[in-house]
Amino acid sequence: MTDAEDRKPKSDEARSAFLPSSGYVVDGEMSTTSEFAIPEGLALHKAAGTESETTSEFAVPEGLEVSHAPSVDEEGSAFTPPATYSAKHALSAFTPPSGIPVVSLTKDVPWQDRMRTMLRMPVAERPAPETIQRHADESGPAVPRVLDLTLRIGELLLAGGEGAEDVEAAMFAVCRSYGLDRCEPNVTFTLLAISYQPSLVDDPVTASRTVRRRGTDYTRLAAVYQLVDDLSDDETAVSLEEAYRRLAEIRRNRHPYPGWALTGASGLLAGAASVLVGGDLLVFVAAALGAMLGDRLAWLCAGRGLPEFYQFTVAAMPPAAIGVALTLVHVDVNASAVITGGLFALLPGRALVAGVQDGLTGFYITASARLLEVLYFFVGIVAGVLLVLYFGVQLGARLNPDAALGVSDEPVLLIGASMLLSLAFAVLLQQERSTVVWVTLNGGVAWVVYGAMHYAGDISPVASTAAAAGLVGLFGQLLSRYQFASALPFTTAAIGPLLPGSATYFGLLAIAQNEIDEGLVSLSKAVALAMAIAIGVNLGSEISRMFLRIGSAEKRRAAKRTRGF
């Protein structure tokens, strides 16, 4: 039997299903068919070599050819271009009716302003940097190494107490200096992350780094700023290898002041603060001894691995203990001034200013973490002082809070004490010797403004503190622009004379004497003064940027305020 004969019965059976219901004679036999049968004589073309299969109404009609897109890799990412995408037939870009504003970044302004301006722009409106070849070959920058260098620089800045926005600006400057313009840095309290995407259809490269240790060394901070400034300068060709070498040298550098100098600076700070609140020479010596003893005990606790909370608690006890002891032995001395001077050396003004600055610039997570850290330090100080004051009161010590309210009638003495306090604070912060003189003068200006407004003009202490801190921030920002450095070394130590040490002590003493209401009122005043300092410093910095060129043809945009939804 041939293949045609073998297929004939099957073909007849398939065709009989389409015969009309009236029936047709097939091979001499009558067969019943349905109404949908194909009339006799109408040929049904069937594709050769295929079997009968069921189709839907969405099937492509025979004879209509559709060009199939070339198959793509099934393992493609979300950034893989679609199969039907064609760059030649892409839609035209949308241009708003008002047009796209032209952004011009001048090169004669500090890199901080240029990078901060671009960070506050939408990503689509950021101008692309000019191509800078800083590599031995023309293969382009080594993206992972550039990101690693950027994270290491950001780690040093964040660990040194720099604000989150300034850290992001420095990271952005490092990436753009090597041609990585499509990068997004992200800074939180303990985590640094950066993402770089070469184009809209390429996979992004993301790297992160955790900041586990923090230390106060403004000399190292200034060196890092100098490195970023050299990287941002088009005329200075700093390769990746050279940048890594300089960064390693910055990490290995010793602190500019030895340990004994830091202990002595702590004593001078406490003594100068006691003079500002009405102390004499004996009070100066007692406050200095208490602060130095507390500093040595804190170093001992740090060497044993105790957290900073307990270090602050231990450091706050010796000044309070010396003040209580002088009162118990009936020495004619202002014990409250001794304790207040010791508190000045412990109040975390640096962390407070950085936390409020992060909150004002929109970094709310980092600001919350910094302020929580300040709260823990403050609670540690409160615990140490309250413990000593409680036992002192139980032993019969007569501590008069009004005794510390007296202020010397010699303005020159107060101005000298404020400058000495700022000088000692600068040494504690490990600042460069070239910046110590400037920050000392800035601290004297802060106290002159505060004294003129509060004591001579009878203005509230909160308003006077805010105005003095605003001038500190303004002058600090101008000095930092003059030297192309960070503003922290010129502002942090200068706010030392404005710290609310006396209000803090009065609140603690009232609580120790079971006067809870008066204690809470005094502590609330201390919090208000601290916020006035932080806001004033930030406002002064922003005012300085308003009157100087920021590197953009249009004014810097602020974040849109939400309206409850």
Side-chain angles (χ1 to χ4, degrees):
M1 180 181 294
T2 62
D3 293 341
E5 292 175 351
D6 184 46
R7 289 196 303 268
K8 185 174 181 181
K10 297 180 182 179
S11 174
D12 292 341
E13 293 176 1
R15 189 172 58 187
S16 63
F18 297 96
L19 294 180
S21 58
S22 58
Y24 285 94
V25 178
V26 180
D27 296 334
E29 295 183 2
M30 188 70 176
S31 80
T32 304
T33 60
S34 68
E35 295 142 355
F36 300 98
I38 300 175
E40 187 178 3
L42 181 60
L44 180 61
H45 299 281
K46 186 177 182 181
T50 60
E51 297 290 340
S52 176
E53 61 183 10
T54 305
T55 59
S56 68
E57 59 270 22
F58 298 101
V60 180
E62 186 178 356
L64 179 61
E65 297 181 358
V66 179
S67 58
H68 295 281
S71 59
V72 296
D73 187 9
E74 296 180 357
E75 299 295 331
S77 66
F79 297 94
T80 304
T84 57
Y85 173 80
S86 175
K88 296 182 179 180
H89 302 88
L91 298 177
S92 59
F94 172 74
T95 302
S98 58
I100 299 177
V102 178
V103 180
S104 60
L105 296 173
T106 59
K107 298 182 180 180
D108 56 347
V109 296
W111 60 266
Q112 297 97 319
D113 289 340
R114 290 186 278 124
M115 297 302 107
R116 188 181 290 107
T117 301
M118 282 187 289
L119 279 175
R120 296 183 180 183
M121 289 181 183
V123 180
E125 298 181 9
R126 293 176 185 171
E130 298 179 1
T131 304
I132 302 175
Q133 189 66 33
R134 295 179 177 175
H135 317 279
D137 53 6
E138 298 182 357
S139 60
V143 175
R145 296 195 66 196
V146 173
L147 297 184
D148 179 71
L149 175 67
T150 302
L151 290 174
R152 292 178 182 273
I153 290 177
E155 178 189 8
L156 288 180
L157 294 177
L158 187 62
E162 192 63 84
E165 186 179 34
D166 294 326
V167 176
E168 284 195 358
M171 296 171 64
F172 195 68
V174 174
C175 285
R176 288 181 66 90
S177 64
Y178 288 102
L180 307 184
D181 58 320
R182 302 181 64 89
C183 63
E184 282 296 330
N186 186 18
V187 176
T188 57
F189 184 59
T190 58
L191 181 65
L192 296 169
I194 188 167
S195 177
Y196 169 68
Q197 186 177 353
S199 64
L200 293 177
V201 295
D202 291 328
D203 295 341
V205 181
T206 304
S208 62
R209 193 173 182 87
T210 303
V211 179
R212 302 189 182 277
R213 296 187 62 184
R214 300 177 183 274
T216 304
D217 189 346
Y218 282 2
T219 301
R220 179 180 297 176
L221 190 69
V224 175
Y225 260 79
Q226 184 61 45
L227 174 60
V228 178
D229 183 59
D230 292 341
L231 290 175
S232 303
D233 190 1
D234 298 341
E235 299 179 357
T236 305
V238 181
S239 62
L240 275 174
E241 289 72 16
E242 177 68 16
Y244 268 107
R245 185 189 64 79
R246 291 180 56 179
L247 190 62
E249 291 180 354
I250 293 173
R251 286 180 175 273
R252 288 195 300 264
N253 281 345
R254 293 179 176 269
H255 297 305
Y257 306 104
W260 63 266
L262 298 180
T263 302
S266 179
L268 288 178
L269 192 155
S274 65
V275 173
L276 290 179
V277 293
D280 52 10
L281 181 60
L282 182 58
V283 171
F284 180 94
V285 175
L289 289 177
M292 288 189 291
L293 181 59
D295 181 76
R296 287 293 91 190
L297 289 177
W299 277 102
L300 181 62
C301 294
R304 296 294 186 270
L306 288 178
E308 287 185 298
F309 175 84
Y310 301 104
Q311 297 177 26
F312 274 83
T313 302
V314 172
M317 289 183 178
I322 291 179
V324 171
L326 291 176
T327 303
L328 290 176
V329 297
H330 304 288
V331 177
D332 188 12
V333 67
N334 192 344
S336 298
V338 175
I339 301 175
T340 302
L343 290 179
F344 267 85
L346 299 176
L347 293 178
R350 172 182 57 88
L352 175 66
V353 172
V356 175
Q357 180 181 357
D358 288 340
L360 294 176
T361 52
F363 294 83
Y364 301 113
I365 297 178
T366 307
S368 302
R370 288 184 188 270
L371 294 178
L372 185 61
E373 181 186 36
V374 172
L375 179 61
Y376 271 101
F377 291 162
F378 189 78
V379 170
I381 297 172
V382 168
V385 176
L386 271 181
L387 184 62
V388 175
L389 290 181
Y390 177 77
F391 283 104
V393 171
Q394 296 299 321
L395 293 175
R398 296 180 179 272
L399 298 173
N400 184 13
D402 294 333
L405 293 176
V407 180
S408 175
D409 296 333
E410 300 179 4
V412 178
L413 178 62
L414 296 178
I415 295 174
S418 65
M419 295 177 67
L420 180 61
L421 191 153
S422 299
L423 173 64
F425 205 170
V427 174
L428 286 176
L429 295 175
Q430 300 282 359
Q431 293 190 195
E432 289 182 309
R433 293 177 173 84
S434 60
T435 63
V436 171
V437 177
W438 292 108
V439 73
T440 302
L441 296 175
N442 202 8
V445 171
W447 182 258
V448 168
V449 174
Y450 174 79
M453 295 182 63
H454 179 54
Y455 297 114
D458 198 16
I459 301 176
S460 67
V462 176
S464 303
T465 301
L471 283 180
V472 168
L474 176 62
F475 292 153
Q477 193 65 230
L478 293 177
L479 290 172
S480 67
R481 290 168 181 271
Y482 176 73
Q483 298 190 3
F484 291 91
S486 171
L488 286 181
F490 301 99
T491 57
T492 304
I495 65 174
L498 304 176
L499 292 175
S502 58
T504 304
Y505 165 70
F506 294 154
L508 299 179
L509 180 59
I511 293 176
Q513 295 176 348
N514 293 326
E515 298 176 358
I516 307 299
D517 295 338
E518 296 181 3
L520 293 178
V521 170
S522 185
L523 290 179
S524 300
K525 179 182 176 181
V527 173
L529 291 174
M531 293 296 293
I533 293 173
I535 295 176
V537 170
N538 182 263
L539 181 61
S541 302
E542 294 294 332
I543 290 176
S544 68
R545 297 190 187 105
M546 289 175 59
F547 290 98
L548 295 177
R549 288 184 297 177
I550 62 173
S552 177
E554 59 178 355
K555 290 186 179 295
R556 184 180 55 190
R557 299 182 178 181
K560 293 183 179 180
R561 188 179 62 154
T562 58
R563 299 183 179 179
F565 52 86

